[in-house]
Amino acid sequence: MADIGLIGLGVMGAALAHNLIDHGVEVCGFEPLADQMARPVTGDFPVAADLPDLVTRLTPPRVILMMVTAGPPVDAIISQLSAYLSPGDVIVDGGNSHYQDSQRRAELAVSKSLSFVGLGISGGEAGARFGPAMMAGGTADSVQIIAPLLAPIAAQTSDGSRCFTDFGPPAAGHFVKMVHNAIEYGEMQLLAEIFGLGKYAGGQSNSQLAELFASWADRIYGGYLVETSARVLRQVDDQTSGDLIDQIAPVAGQKGTGRWAITAALDLGQAVPTLAAAVFARSLTVRAGEQHISAASDSHAICPAEQLYDAFALAKLATYEQGLRMLAAATEHHKWPLDLAAVARVWRAGCILRGPLLETLAIRLEGGIDAAIDDPDLAGLPALRQVLAGAATSAVSVPALAASLSYLEGLSEDRPTAQMIQGQRDAFGAHGFARRDRPGVFHAHWSSAEDR
Ligand code: 6PG
């Protein structure tokens, strides 16, 4: 009898299965799309013929981890599977599911006396194989049932803790994963913009830029995505023997988690401009070439490497802070017992965001979300401004860097502009405005256009 059933033996599912086996967990797999796979599903662990077979091979209470494509396939399998399960069995959805779907599926599971866990898993194939970060949320006691099986296969941080965290209700794990992905989009876009500045404004070669990113990798604002950017720039194309980066079509894909996060932020009334800029920038790549604006520019602003780092650092911090603030708002809105420092801790290893900044944020967030950005961090503002000015004169598009600067400036009270919005609202719609010098709501007798 197996300790866990694993449905979906694609890249992530198979890697998780091998990780579990390495940790002494007996796995029985099942591939719902086996008949469509190029190669037969075989391996070094038992594979069930169908769902009833899988269920009979598991020790009760059964734990079944689903690693299938998010969306309707998850519902279809839960619906078939639940007919064979017994009260107390736990269905775990390890895909990138929408958090509201996890809530709905948990309610459905409870109506059938089953348990459900929405489990965000990050780290790609290598993470799944050797230690991912896992963000769980589930129905009563369900996470405690799965933790002894799954926590030991999670990534381990330098202090020895495992990146497996129970965030409470069924929707919370996938919400945390969704925000992780939105920050991932933001940091990836920032790195793409730095690449663009170095390449088009600075005239640097791929290998020079690879060196630049590699030199940042171990610094506080370095980390896995910075290191990955260096790796991408160094990859040789096996078709042309040139740099692969020069052959990759500049059209960005996206599966939805970034977009979901922006929608959720809007619903929560949270400003996440860098995260949104990153999603919009990906969408815009699909339309590249529609307009023929000459990018030729006489002025090439070559930013010193340290200025680029400082600009990236502050923009990255603003990106993370936006995601974390959105999590704080969701926690308050949904009354989730979600601890922001625990979120930063679970992201320290295994996941795509991993890097030294998370160690710092894990400590800072013990003091609450307002401690995420510290005053000395703002010393990077002049660098960010100069890099943006250089980008503008060099005709390089940097929406995420720009959004980060506007975000930080929007948080400052030095040069407000919303008095104009309030004046306009009252002038055309009598919406009222507050005054700086006295409390209350005021209306002005606005002069009409004809009076002029
Ligand atoms: C991870 C990643 C992983 C994947 C996302 C984003 O944490 O391991 O976030 O889940 O990269 O699915 O994919 P898209 O860029 O295609 O939206």
Side-chain angles (χ1 to χ4, degrees):
M1 297 288 271
D3 304 313
I4 190 165
L6 212 156
I7 300 180
L9 302 176
V11 171
M12 291 291 284
L16 281 170
H18 287 111
N19 190 352
L20 284 159
I21 292 162
D22 283 352
H23 287 81
V25 178
E26 299 280 345
V27 177
C28 182
F30 172 64
E31 174 48 64
L33 302 176
D35 54 349
Q36 296 170 33
M37 287 175 108
R39 283 177 293 135
V41 181
T42 53
D44 37 13
F45 55 90
V47 175
D50 51 27
L51 287 176
D53 181 34
L54 176 71
V55 170
T56 57
R57 290 175 184 229
L58 303 176
T59 312
R62 299 173 186 86
V63 174
I64 296 175
L65 173 57
M66 295 173 49
M67 294 301 301
V68 300
T69 310
V74 178
D75 289 312
I77 290 173
I78 291 178
S79 150
Q80 292 167 43
L81 183 64
S82 45
Y84 308 110
L85 295 177
S86 307
D89 290 347
V90 189
I91 299 173
V92 185
D93 174 15
N96 268 332
S97 288
H98 194 286
Y99 71 99
Q100 285 168 340
D101 284 339
S102 296
Q103 182 60 38
R104 174 178 58 74
R105 288 166 186 151
E107 285 161 18
L108 184 74
V110 167
S111 75
K112 297 179 176 185
S113 304
L114 299 171
S115 293
F116 179 87
V117 176
L119 183 70
I121 301 180
S122 178
E125 183 183 6
R129 179 66 185 88
F130 300 108
M134 293 194 250
M135 297 142 252
T139 55
D141 300 335
S142 55
V143 181
Q144 284 88 319
I145 295 172
I146 67 161
L149 295 170
L150 295 178
I153 72 160
Q156 205 165 9
T157 60
S158 54
D159 64 11
S161 49
R162 293 282 176 188
C163 294
F164 177 99
T165 303
D166 178 3
F167 288 108
H174 275 135
F175 195 96
V176 173
K177 176 62 173 38
M178 175 184 77
V179 173
H180 166 284
N181 281 25
I183 297 174
E184 173 187 306
Y185 274 50
E187 185 173 352
M188 289 168 75
Q189 178 63 28
L190 289 173
L191 288 163
E193 293 173 13
I194 300 287
F195 158 72
L197 281 167
K199 186 177 175 72
Y200 305 115
Q204 288 185 281
S205 66
N206 296 328
S207 59
Q208 284 172 315
L209 287 167
E211 283 305 309
L212 180 76
F213 286 136
S215 73
W216 295 359
D218 294 329
R219 297 177 70 177
I220 178 164
Y221 289 94
Y224 178 71
L225 282 171
V226 173
E227 187 191 306
T228 302
S229 305
R231 208 148 49 92
V232 168
L233 284 161
R234 284 183 176 142
Q235 184 73 24
V236 173
D237 176 24
D238 57 12
Q239 310 283 313
T240 62
S241 304
D243 294 344
L244 180 61
I245 185 86
D246 295 331
Q247 301 304 331
I248 299 177
V251 180
Q254 52 179 316
K255 294 196 204 71
T257 46
R259 183 166 40 82
W260 299 343
I262 307 315
T263 309
L266 289 172
D267 289 343
L268 289 163
Q270 289 299 302
V272 290
T274 313
L275 310 185
V279 175
F280 292 149
R282 284 200 193 188
S283 303
L284 209 52
T285 63
V286 177
R287 293 179 47 199
E290 269 182 27
Q291 295 290 333
H292 300 286
I293 298 168
S294 169
S297 165
D298 295 338
S299 158
H300 279 242
I302 300 171
C303 303
E306 208 46 31
Q307 189 181 70
L308 274 179
Y309 178 77
D310 289 345
F312 169 69
L314 185 54
K316 174 168 169 171
L317 182 61
T319 305
Y320 280 57
E321 198 258 359
Q322 289 167 38
L324 290 160
R325 205 164 268 281
M326 172 184 170
L327 273 173
T331 300
E332 197 178 321
H333 177 80
H334 295 290
K335 311 264 179 292
W336 287 338
L338 208 144
D339 170 6
L340 288 183
V343 172
R345 284 197 298 274
V346 81
W347 290 347
R348 283 176 304 164
C351 72
I352 304 295
L353 298 185
R354 66 184 182 263
L357 177 61
L358 267 321
E359 298 282 353
T360 303
L361 286 174
I363 296 164
R364 286 187 183 178
L365 290 166
E366 298 285 355
I369 183 62
D370 290 343
I373 298 181
D374 201 1
D375 282 347
D377 302 319
L378 300 177
L381 271 172
L384 185 51
R385 289 198 179 103
Q386 274 163 357
V387 167
L388 280 167
T393 52
S394 310
V396 178
S397 170
V398 288
L401 284 164
S404 297
L405 178 62
S406 299
Y407 177 73
L408 293 165
E409 281 172 339
L411 296 175
S412 145
E413 288 191 325
D414 287 358
R415 296 184 175 185
T417 54
Q419 58 271 51
M420 176 55 81
I421 306 289
Q422 289 300 82
Q424 290 165 339
R425 292 177 72 240
D426 195 57
F428 66 66
H431 293 293
F433 54 86
R435 295 182 58 98
R436 295 172 187 255
D437 58 351
R438 64 199 68 182
V441 177
F442 297 84
H443 295 282
H445 297 291
W446 300 97
S447 57
S448 67
E450 295 77 50
D451 294 341
R452 311 232 153 189

